[in-house]
């Protein structure tokens, strides 16, 4: 990314939101992208203002005004704190814009609407903060996963390290776009390690109508064919990463065969190697169904807790 790229980081005042802001800063500090810290502020429905017309309602109106003032003050404070965290993590202050917008049609839909204003990525936390349920998976975050099909989404859980990224690859164009997104976020962070992984499912998990009942020789041939195909992908991904400045000794490739679940294979590999970020294309081999809405992506975003997941368009 460069100064022409723009990233929205949604915050709600929770600890997770501040950890998310820190993670985003660590990932984007040196790549040049502009950051918009964005907060959807709770408001009172306009209908409540009607009570101000009646003298009997003026006392209630004063309470409503005071509540709104507190909401505005709280929004300013949380955005200032998030900005400070990002600057402390290495992001230049002139690249950060803060915006607190009143809730209009709903937190998720407001974020989706804002995301159409020229953003290259949207960053959210996995869990939010009490009444501003902000970014709770199954609530706002889950809605964003479903609706943000036009822009890359980062979903951050816990306080993951930026040192290691795991990119799940297949032979689809979507997988290579995931590599390009990693390239775009490179910031000269010399310790960053990139892991390229491909998981091959066991033939036993594939419907017999697809493969029939292959013998061992047929299975071996299929595995060899799959490994040969993905090696070409690994080579191209490595070429793009090295061109962007990643050292060859910091790029690792891994093929895991015979897995029952590609999602769990990716998650387990991340756990075993203490990898903080999992990256995947939103679309896989199927053009009919979004990759993230299929079984692999769905399992990953609903299973991973203390890591970041990037869903790249």
């Amino acid at each position: 990314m460069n100064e022409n790229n723009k990233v929205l980081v949604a915050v709600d005042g929770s600890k997770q939101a501040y950890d998310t802001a820190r993670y985003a800063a660590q990932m984007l500090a040196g790549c040049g992208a502009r950051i918009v810290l964005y907060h959807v502020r709770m408001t009172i429905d306009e209908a409540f203002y009607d009570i101000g017309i009646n003298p009997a309602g003026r006392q209630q109106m004063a309470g409503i005004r005071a509540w709104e003032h507190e909401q505005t003050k709280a929004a300013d404070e949380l955005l200032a704190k998030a900005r400070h965290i990002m600057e402390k993590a290495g992001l230049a202050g002139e690249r950060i814009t803060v915006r607190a917008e009143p809730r209009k049609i709903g937190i998720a839909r407001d974020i989706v609407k804002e995301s159409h204003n020229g953003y290259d990525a949207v960053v959210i936390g996995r869990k939010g903060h009490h009444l501003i349920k902000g970014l709770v998976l199954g609530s706002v975050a889950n809605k964003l996963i479903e609706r943000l099909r036009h822009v890359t989404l980062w979903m951050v859980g816990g306080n993951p390290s930026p040192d290691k990224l795991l990119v799940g690859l297949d032979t689809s164009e979507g997988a290579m776009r995931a590599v390009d997104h990693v390239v775009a976020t490179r910031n000269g962070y010399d310790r960053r390690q990139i892991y390229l992984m491909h998981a091959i499912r066991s033939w036993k998990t594939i419907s017999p109508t697809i493969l029939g009942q292959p013998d061992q020789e047929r299975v071996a041939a299929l595995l060899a064919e799959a490994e040969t195909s993905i090696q070409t992908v690994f080579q191209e991904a490595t070429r793009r990463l090295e061109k962007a400045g990643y050292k060859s000794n910091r790029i690792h490739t891994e093929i895991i065969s015979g897995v029952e679940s590609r999602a769990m294979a990716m998650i387990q590999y991340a756990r075993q190697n203490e990898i903080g970020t999992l990256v995947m294309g939103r679309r896989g081999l199927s053009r009919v169904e979004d990759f993230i809405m299929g079984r692999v992506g769905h399992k990953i975003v609903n299973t991973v807790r203390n890591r970041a997941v990037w869903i790249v368009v």
Side-chain angles (χ1 to χ4, degrees), residues 189-217:
Y189 191 59
D190 291 337
R191 289 185 297 171
R192 188 176 291 181
Q193 303 270 351
I194 308 298
Y195 295 78
L196 307 175
M197 176 190 164
H198 177 66
I200 302 174
R201 292 173 61 194
S202 167
W203 69 267
K204 295 179 181 179
T205 65
I206 301 174
S207 171
T209 59
I210 298 176
L211 292 180
Q213 294 294 339
D215 55 26
Q216 290 186 351
E217 184 176 342

Side-chain angles (χ1 to χ4, degrees), residues 9-10 15-25 123-126 156-158:
V9 181
K15 181 182 182 302
Q16 180 60 72
Y18 296 134
D19 287 341
T20 297
R22 182 181 300 104
Y23 171 85
V123 185
I124 66 172
R126 185 180 178 88
V156 183

Side-chain angles (χ1 to χ4, degrees), residues 275-289:
I275 299 172
T277 302
L278 289 76
V279 185
M280 70 194 75
R282 184 175 182 97
R283 292 184 182 274
L285 291 172
S286 172
R287 290 292 184 182
V288 178
E289 181 181 35

Side-chain angles (χ1 to χ4, degrees), residues 113-131:
K113 184 177 180 181
E114 175 64 21
S115 71
H116 285 280
N117 294 327
Y119 289 95
D120 298 279
V122 173
V123 185
I124 66 172
R126 185 180 178 88
K127 295 182 180 179
H129 183 257
H130 52 123
L131 287 181

